[in-house]
Every structure is written in structure tokens, then in C-alpha cells.
Amino acid sequence: MKTHVKALVVGGGAVGTGIAYHLAKAGWDTMLVERDELTSGSTWHAAGLLPLFNMSYATTHIHKYSVDFYKGLEAETGLDAGFYVVGNLRMAQRKERMDEYMLYSSVAETAGVYHEFLTPKEMKDRWPLLRTDDLVGALYHPQDGYINPADVTQAMAKGARQHGATFERKIQVDGYRWTGSEWIVSVTRMVEQGGNLVPSDEKYEIHAEHVVTATGNHAQRTARLLGIKTPAIPVEHQYIVTEPDPMLVEYRKNNPEHPVLRDADAKWYVREERGGWILGPYEYGAPARFEYDVPQGFRADLFPWIWSGSRRNTCR
Ligand SMILES: Cc1cc2nc3c(=O)[nH]c(=O)nc-3n(C[C@H](O)[C@H](O)[C@H](O)COP(=O)(O)OP(=O)(O)OC[C@H]3O[C@@H](n4cnc5c(N)ncnc54)[C@H](O)[C@@H]3O)c2cc1C
């Protein structure tokens, strides 16, 4: 393992890997360390939706860049990033929601993001399985869609390596020290023990001019290591994956995949998955998890299914 680098990226999720790719591409001597495997954090679970919709001009530019970047990754790396350009239909139940979309339209036009407005009838004509009777319209991004989070991360990692970056898995960062001219980062090799990931006695120090932390849900611990208190607390989010839906299977015999569907008023997203659907509700009262720290042993674990409809009155 290298002990001196220009940039050390901590965390091998989609974010850290994307940062490592871009630093390496910019010519920086870059190393990424990950305590487990690439994508073993939140990235493992993501539904992969890429909403081009965003009310901020700057973030819209970042989203547009990402969508264009993902489309070119396969040509660059030879790895399929798993990008499904099925479009994104953002539906509105209220006129005020459509007003929000109109306001967004000016941001999108300035940033060069193509979009359309659809009436309920136009939606029903194109996607007859949709129930549109309580909708006033929708914003449609035909160039949007979803991506397989693990595939895109692996493709970015390959691209980063092609640009000279190195990746070290099973290396956990345990401390940072700034000398005034560089960071000295203490790391521990992690090992598998009875299905758990535990620290070994193997310790190293890495010297880096720059450190980027992209540790996702571990942000509180990371901040503490840097002497900062950050109030970032993970919140549970779950989605439902259904069995194949006979109506959808029949429809798909002669039709392309549905766009990613979002109802901003009802607060859920839906997309197709192997003849069935993924339904992701943004729940009222979704509970905070690991309020003070993600346990060392937590990996890509799943929480037991809890539908927050039942806790709506207690956890707002
Ligand atoms: C069910 C679900 C569905 C989602 N759906 C979507 C979606 O459709 N679209 C979307 O954009 N987002 C979605 N998200 C959110 C998305 O998954 C996250 O925002 C994203 O994956 C965060 O990436 P990350 O790289 O910041 O964090 P992570 O993927 O969590 O990566 C952080 C990494 O840092 C490592 N790490 C932590 N501490 C250390 C340390 N001290 N030393 C070394 N390594 C360390 C961890 O092991 C981990 O691999 C969803 C999330 C969930 C849970």
C-alpha cells in the first residue's frame, strides 16, 4: 500500500469513488481507502434514481453533468454502468405543484436541461396503466432514468484506476493529524471474523496533501476524528420490490419501459424492476438510526420491514 499520496479519499461508495475518478483524471496522485468493499454502504441499497429535477441552478448543473458523464462511462471503461434512460415523470396533484415545475423550467432552460410538460390526458395516452384522474399535470424528462449504483461505482473505480488511482479495500481510517503541511492518517486493516468485519493489529500511516472524506452514514465518527461535531444523523429509508405484475408484464410485450414515476405530493417514487415494481415511499416519521454512531459491525445490512403508517402518530 502506498504511504505518500497527493489526495487520499476515504470511503468507497458512489461519492468517494466519483471523487477519486475526477481527482485522478485531473492528474492527481490519488488513493481511495474503504473499510469494507466498494459499495458496501448506502450505495449498495440505492434505487438508483437520477432526478434531473432540482430547483437549484448549481445542483441542476451537477445533475446534468452526472447524467452526461454516466452515459460516456462505458465507452471509456468497457464496463456497463447500468444506466437505463427510461425518462422521469414527475406528477402533480395540485396547481401549486405545477407552479413549482414552471419555476423550475426557467432554471432548467438556463442550464440546458430538456424537459416537457404533460397533461393528464397526454400521460394516459402514453402510459395507459397510470391512474391520472387526481393529477393536474406532470413534468417529463425523457433523458433521465435510473442507474445501477453498484455498476456505476465499479465503472468509475475502473476509470479512476485507468487514470492512475489506487484503491485499498478493508482499510479503515481511525485518525487524522495535520502537521501544518500534510495530513498523517492512521489506518487499520480490517479482517473478516465469523461473518463480522473487525480491526486487525495491522496499522499504517498514510501521508497526504489533501484528504477527502466521503464516509456516508459514518459522517459523525469521521467528524469526531477531525475534532468536529456534525449533527448528520442517518434516517431510515426502505423501498418495496413487488413480484411480477401480470398487467405490467402484458403491457411490456409491446411497449417500452415506464419512466421513473414520482408523485411529489403523495411523496413516493416507482420504477419497473423485472416485471414488477419498486415503490419507495418518503415516510412521515421515518426514524433516525444510529443517532450517535453507526456500529462497527454494520455493513450492507437490511433493517426489518417497518411501515411507518403505523407510527405516523408517534414519530412526526
Ligand atoms: C433504500 C435506499 C434507496 C435509495 N435510493 C436512492 C436513489 O434512488 N437515488 C439516489 O440518488 N440516492 C438514493 N439513496 C441514497 C444513496 O444511496 C446515498 O446518498 C449514496 O449511496 C451515498 O453514497 P456515499 O458514497 O456518500 O456513501 P456510502 O455508499 O455509504 O459510502 C460510504 C463508504 O465509506 C466507508 N467508510 C465509512 N467510514 C470509513 C472509514 N473510517 N474508513 C474507511 N472507509 C469508511 C463505508 O464502509 C462506505 O462504504 C438511497 C438510499 C437508500 C438507503
Side-chain angles (χ1 to χ4, degrees):
M1 182 168 62
K2 281 165 99 167
T3 53
H4 289 76
V5 287
K6 184 172 173 90
L8 179 72
V9 179
V10 186
V15 175
T17 308
I19 292 169
Y21 169 93
H22 285 91
L23 290 177
K25 191 174 178 182
W28 284 34
D29 173 23
T30 303
M31 179 160 76
L32 182 147
V33 291
E34 161 57 49
R35 69 186 292 271
D36 196 354
E37 295 291 340
L38 294 185
T39 77
S40 59
S42 293
T43 300
W44 182 252
H45 305 284
L49 313 186
L50 303 168
L52 270 171
F53 175 84
N54 196 281
M55 296 301 282
S56 142
Y57 178 73
T59 312
T60 296
H61 268 285
I62 293 172
H63 284 198
K64 182 173 185 304
Y65 170 81
S66 305
V67 167
D68 295 341
F69 166 59
Y70 297 151
K71 284 179 182 163
L73 258 184
E74 184 169 0
E76 183 182 337
T77 64
L79 288 185
D80 179 359
F83 192 178
Y84 299 84
V85 187
V86 296
N88 187 307
L89 190 69
R90 207 173 177 88
M91 300 174 282
Q93 293 185 19
R94 297 178 292 127
K95 183 186 160 300
E96 291 76 13
R97 187 67 68 189
M98 284 309 281
D99 288 346
E100 184 191 7
Y101 294 166
M102 297 285 180
L103 183 62
Y104 159 80
S105 184
S106 57
V107 176
E109 272 170 27
T110 320
V113 174
Y114 180 78
H115 58 285
E116 299 169 17
F117 288 99
L118 299 182
T119 63
K121 179 174 182 321
E122 286 167 330
M123 281 184 259
K124 193 75 184 169
D125 289 347
R126 283 168 88 155
W127 302 288
L129 293 188
L130 297 190
R131 187 169 67 77
T132 55
D133 48 299
D134 58 354
L135 300 178
V136 294
L139 175 69
Y140 180 47
H141 285 99
Q143 290 151 2
D144 205 337
Y146 63 93
I147 197 158
N148 184 320
D151 290 350
V152 72
T153 306
Q154 294 298 346
M156 289 191 293
K158 184 168 178 200
R161 288 191 186 99
Q162 286 172 342
H163 289 296
T166 50
F167 281 67
E168 294 289 344
R169 291 165 299 140
K170 299 276 192 277
I171 293 290
Q172 173 170 284
V173 168
D174 287 321
Y176 299 92
R177 192 154 47 88
W178 174 246
T179 66
S181 58
E182 65 170 6
W183 289 98
I184 301 181
V185 181
S186 319
V187 303
T188 304
R189 183 169 296 286
M190 305 297 282
V191 289
E192 301 280 349
Q193 212 171 74
N196 293 319
L197 191 64
V198 295
S200 73
D201 295 334
E202 227 180 289
K203 314 261 180 204
Y204 306 93
E205 281 188 343
I206 301 169
H207 298 243
E209 274 178 46
H210 302 270
V211 171
V212 183
T213 69
T215 52
N217 289 331
H218 299 253
Q220 276 207 47
R221 174 172 189 261
T222 306
R224 226 177 16 252
L225 295 177
L226 287 159
I228 305 164
K229 188 170 164 51
T230 180
I233 297 174
V235 172
E236 269 186 36
H237 174 56
Q238 298 180 312
Y239 54 72
I240 303 163
V241 186
T242 71
E243 298 290 329
D245 171 354
M247 275 166 72
L248 176 61
V249 172
E250 188 56 34
Y251 168 84
R252 284 297 308 283
K253 284 181 183 162
N254 301 305
N255 294 287
E257 185 168 346
H258 281 83
V260 172
L261 307 168
R262 278 183 185 264
D263 186 330
D265 293 306
K267 302 209 178 342
W268 50 255
Y269 57 81
V270 163
R271 72 164 170 83
E272 291 187 22
E273 176 78 0
R274 294 180 194 163
W277 304 95
I278 282 182
L279 164 67
Y282 293 112
E283 306 159 74
Y284 277 122
R289 252 303 161 153
F290 309 140
E291 220 167 316
Y292 299 109
D293 240 341
V294 178
Q296 278 278 341
F298 189 80
R299 304 171 85 175
D301 306 50
L302 294 175
F303 297 131
W305 168 246
I306 310 169
W307 176 247
S308 79
S310 58
R311 59 189 174 211
R312 183 175 281 212
N313 293 331
T314 51
C315 304
R316 284 294 286 278

